[in-house]
């Protein structure tokens, strides 16, 4: 037993490591494929709400809003109005002036010259948008560059951004390519920050949008804007009126004009260039924590993960983002939550398995525990079975069964050297013995048998316990197979009146064949391994072959011919006889139909299983088969054994009458082996009696058998039935049957069972024989 425990202790956490690997792979895919981006955005919104703060005030938004359109007309405006805005903002001391939309000034606009002059008067301060339109179906982008004369006096910025499925802008590029020009984004230019090609930065939506300084364009053009509100500020001019310009979904604020997104993006960069780490840092922390916690108790794993999950989801990213470090947390959360889920399931299964490994009545380890602990053991296995356990348990009070089990296990432990005993149901107990001790187990079991000769005192009652032991010493098979083998040896010892017996592995093949035989039988019927032989019958009056009995045969490709009694009995016992009977009936009727062509009268007998008498499908199966092959019903004989016929209920007897009513014949097979009464023979709709071979075989030498056969023939004839004698193997018996008036004979003397082709040749070669 020590070797078993040692082996089990070497593999404690492998299932958990496997679960961790699968969770790790899933989390990595979650991060690489960005499946968690929407959830990451939700967590980011929550964190932004927690660290919400005001804008620096450095960025001033000038909006072309509803008021501006009411006073100055619908947007877009003529060039001279933009020129006036630039002039007034420049005089007020604006540090930079940025247009959030393209200045699409018509070439015939008379104010273009004044716009050029206004821009030229603010050298390096005015920035106008150079954008590209979205891709068309042919992958082309329209380049929206300002007129060359405007580009000469103003700098270019780009306001193209990428939105997600919710029309939210989360990241802004540092620059974009527009008509082969590298154009910085408005936010990067306003904050004077540079980035690498393709690099983006996340917008810090923790900045309150309503804290951004704001002026209406109407106020600017009316010269009502106070110089202090403009001086030294970065001014971004954009549309903010209903129905004009681009609008994006701003987290926490809803749809907002694009100018505010540009302003918040610029504010983000004014505090410094954010450092984006992606999802690797929290993922690495979560992975390390999960790996480390595998080395501590599982309770601590759960507590650690419960603490780590919110830390990874909120606290760590919150602290990092406050310092300008941006990360994504969903892959780490997937890893943590997946590990927690696997762990919870593992603990649930462990608790369930532990409950399933203890006998509910006695609290002793059961056979499930043996299966788990002995899965790889090389030790010997011993099974003990108390024959009268059910009787003993029934005779005791309900609470006393536990005491009974405890006494049994105490006795077994005393005699087996202290090996751990596992309890099964119905008085079954098992234990493992070291492989080196298996050869000496006989003395141990003999001692245990002696111990159990003394009655057990349970609740003041003396209980005799009959016990037998079975041993399996073959470590080359699974523990479940060995347990079954030990129990089989135990049963054999009990049946033989012995104390114990060792399982014989040579019986395994026969056992496996009995288990798989029925499964192979169905396939054998379909692929032609099961076939029908025909044994001819002789008419003793005319001396001609008048019919045959159909007998099923199975030629197995590996085992050769299978005993019909073996597979027919198994098919009957397991309700598989219907398909086999249908197969034999179909072939027999087919052969009979072919032999009856040309005016020959040839009867065909088919054995009917007792299980099918009274079966709802029997009559339809017979009628359909006769119609399918065109055989007259009177040429078919269904044989039922005398015992089966006598045990048939009245409903089954009515079924026989129904079969008889369609014109076929009924034969009582093996007559003389049962206990038929005259009243029964009168009620049974049989047309034929078949005398069992056990009486025919001794007909010549036994006077009592001659009397019995002769009286049976006279009785059958008095009831209007014919008589067939089976098992005729010599001429003397055949002659004696003829003298008694027997109608037909069947046996090896007439012909052995043969295939259809041999039967055809036999009928062609047969010359009428004269009955004695």
């Amino acid at each position: 037993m020590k070797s078993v425990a040692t082996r089990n202790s070497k593999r404690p956490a492998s299932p958990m490591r496997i679960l961790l690997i699968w969770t790790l792979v899933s989390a990595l895919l979650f991060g690489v494929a960005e499946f968690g981006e929407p959830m990451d955005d939700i967590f980011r919104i929550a964190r932004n709400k927690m660290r919400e703060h005001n804008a620096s005030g450095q960025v001033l938004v000038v909006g072309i809003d509803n008021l501006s359109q009411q006073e100055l007309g619908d947007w877009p405006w003529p060039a001279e109005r933009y020129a006036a805005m630039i002039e007034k903002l420049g005089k007020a001391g604006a540090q930079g002036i940025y247009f959030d939309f393209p200045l699409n000034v018509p070439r015939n606009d008379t104010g273009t010259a004044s716009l050029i002059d206004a821009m030229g008067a603010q050298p390096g301060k005015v920035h106008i948008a150079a954008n590209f339109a979205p891709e068309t179906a042919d992958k082309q982008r329209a380049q929206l560059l300002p007129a060359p004369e405007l580009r000469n006096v103003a700098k270019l910025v780009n306001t193209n951004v990428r939105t997600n499925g919710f029309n939210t802008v989360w990241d802004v590029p540092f620059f974009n390519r527009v008509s082969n020009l590298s154009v910085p984004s408005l936010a990067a230019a306003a904050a004077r920050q540079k980035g690498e090609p393709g690099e983006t930065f996340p917008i810090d939506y923790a900045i309150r949008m309503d804290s951004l300084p704001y002026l209406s364009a109407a106020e600017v053009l009316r010269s009502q804007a106070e110089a202090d509100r403009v001086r030294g500020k970065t001014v971004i001019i954009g549309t903010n009126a209903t129905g004009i310009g681009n609008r994006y979904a701003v987290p926490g604020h809803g749809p907002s004009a694009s100018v505010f997104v540009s302003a918040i993006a610029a504010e983000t960069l004014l505090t410094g260039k954010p450092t984006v780490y992606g999802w690797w840092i929290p993922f690495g922390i979560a992975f390390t924590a999960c790996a480390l916690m595998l080395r501590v108790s599982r309770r601590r794993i759960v507590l650690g993960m419960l603490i780590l999950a919110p830390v990874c989801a909120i606290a760590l990213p919150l602290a990092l983002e406050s310092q300008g470090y941006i990360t994504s947390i969903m892959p780490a959360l997937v890893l943590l939550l997946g590990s927690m889920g696997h762990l919870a399931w593992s603990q649930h299964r462990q608790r369930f398995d532990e409950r399933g490994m203890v006998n509910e009545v006695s609290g002793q380890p059961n056979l499930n525990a043996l299966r788990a602990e002995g899965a790889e053991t090389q030790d010997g296995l011993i099974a003990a079975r108390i024959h009268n356990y059910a009787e003993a348990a029934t005779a005791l009070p309900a609470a006393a069964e536990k005491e009974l089990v405890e006494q049994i296990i105490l006795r077994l432990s005393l005699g087996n050297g202290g090996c751990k005993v596992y309890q099964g149901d119905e008085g079954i107990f098992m234990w493992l013995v070291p492989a080196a001790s298996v050869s000496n187990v006989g003395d141990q079991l003999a001692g245990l048998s002696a111990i159990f000769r003394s009655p057990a005192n349970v609740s003041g009652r003396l209980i005799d316990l009959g016990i037998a032991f079975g041993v399996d010493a073959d470590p080359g098979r699974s523990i479940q197979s060995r347990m079954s083998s030990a129990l089989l040896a135990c049963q054999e010892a009990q049946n033989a009146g012995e104390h114990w017996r060792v399982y014989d592995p040579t019986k395994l093949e026969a056992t496996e064949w009995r288990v798989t035989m029925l499964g192979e039988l169905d396939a054998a019927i379909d692929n032609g391994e099961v076939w029908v032989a025909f044994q001819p019958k002789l008419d003793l009056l005319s001396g001609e072959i008048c019919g045959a009995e159909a007998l099923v045969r199975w030629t197995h490709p590996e085992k050769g011919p299978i005993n019909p009694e073996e597979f027919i009995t198994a098919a009957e016992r397991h309700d598989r006889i219907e398909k086999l009977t249908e197969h034999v009936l179909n072939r027999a009727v087919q052969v009979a139909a072919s032999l009856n062509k040309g005016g020959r009268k040839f009867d065909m007998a088919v054995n009917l299983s007792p299980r099918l008498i009274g079966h709802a499908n029997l009559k339809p199966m017979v009628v359909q088969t006769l119609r399918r092959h065109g055989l007259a019903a009177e040429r078919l004989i269904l044989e039922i054994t005398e015992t089966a016929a006598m045990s048939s209920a009245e409903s089954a007897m009515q079924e026989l009458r129904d079969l008889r009513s369609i014109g076929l014949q009924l034969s009582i097979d093996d007559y003389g082996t049962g206990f038929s009464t005259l009243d029964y023979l009168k009620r049974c709709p049989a047309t034929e009696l078949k005398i069992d071979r056990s009486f025919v075989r001794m007909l010549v030498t036994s006077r009592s058998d001659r009397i019995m056969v002769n009286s049976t023939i006279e009785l059958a004839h008095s009831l209007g039935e014919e008589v067939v004698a089976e098992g005729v193997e010599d001429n003397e018996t055949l002659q004696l049957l003829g003298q008694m008036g027997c109608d037909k004979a069947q046996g090896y003397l007439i012909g052995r069972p043969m295939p259809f082709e041999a039967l055809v040749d036999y009928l062609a070669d047969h010359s009428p024989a004269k009955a004695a």
Side-chain angles (χ1 to χ4, degrees), residues 597-654:
K597 292 179 180 178
R600 179 198 292 268
K601 292 184 178 181
F602 191 90
D603 294 339
M604 182 63 68
V606 177
N607 289 284
L608 185 63
S609 169
R611 291 294 184 95
L612 293 180
I613 299 175
H615 197 286
N617 293 336
L618 177 59
K619 184 177 178 181
M621 178 174 68
V622 173
V623 172
Q624 291 171 11
T625 305
L626 290 172
R627 289 176 180 171
R628 184 184 308 122
H629 299 291
L631 178 67
E634 61 267 18
R635 299 275 73 88
L636 177 63
I637 304 172
L638 294 182
E639 296 186 1
I640 58 173
T641 63
E642 179 185 16
T643 303
M646 287 186 63
S647 61
S648 299
E650 184 57 35
S651 59
M653 188 66 73
Q654 183 59 46

Side-chain angles (χ1 to χ4, degrees), residues 164-180:
N164 64 9
F166 301 99
N167 198 36
T168 300
V169 180
W170 283 106
D171 300 286
V172 176
F174 278 95
F175 65 84
N176 272 317
R177 300 288 298 180
V178 182
S179 188
N180 296 322

Side-chain angles (χ1 to χ4, degrees), residues 406-416 448 451-457 463 465:
E406 289 173 348
Q407 289 211 26
I408 293 173
I409 291 178
L410 178 61
R411 294 186 179 199
L412 292 174
S413 299
L414 287 174
N416 67 12
L448 281 170
I451 293 174
F452 274 88
R453 291 194 190 102
S454 302
N457 190 335
I463 306 294
L465 299 173

Side-chain angles (χ1 to χ4, degrees), residues 171-176 185 188 193-202 269 273-276:
D171 300 286
V172 176
F174 278 95
F175 65 84
N176 272 317
S185 65
Q193 293 281 1
K194 294 182 179 181
E196 298 296 326
E199 184 181 0
T200 62
F201 67 91
L269 289 180
K273 182 179 176 181
T275 303
V276 180

Side-chain angles (χ1 to χ4, degrees), residues 47-62:
R47 294 194 301 271
N48 288 340
K49 206 70 178 173
M50 296 174 67
R51 62 182 192 87
E52 205 171 42
H53 59 278
N54 292 331
S56 67
Q58 178 60 36
V59 178
L60 171 66
V61 176
V62 173

Side-chain angles (χ1 to χ4, degrees), residues 64 162 181 185 210 255 268 292 300 305 310 588 592 603 636 646 716:
I64 302 174
R162 183 178 68 89
L181 298 175
S185 65
D210 54 9
T268 301
L292 290 176
R300 293 181 181 177
M305 286 186 171
D603 294 339
L636 177 63
M646 287 186 63

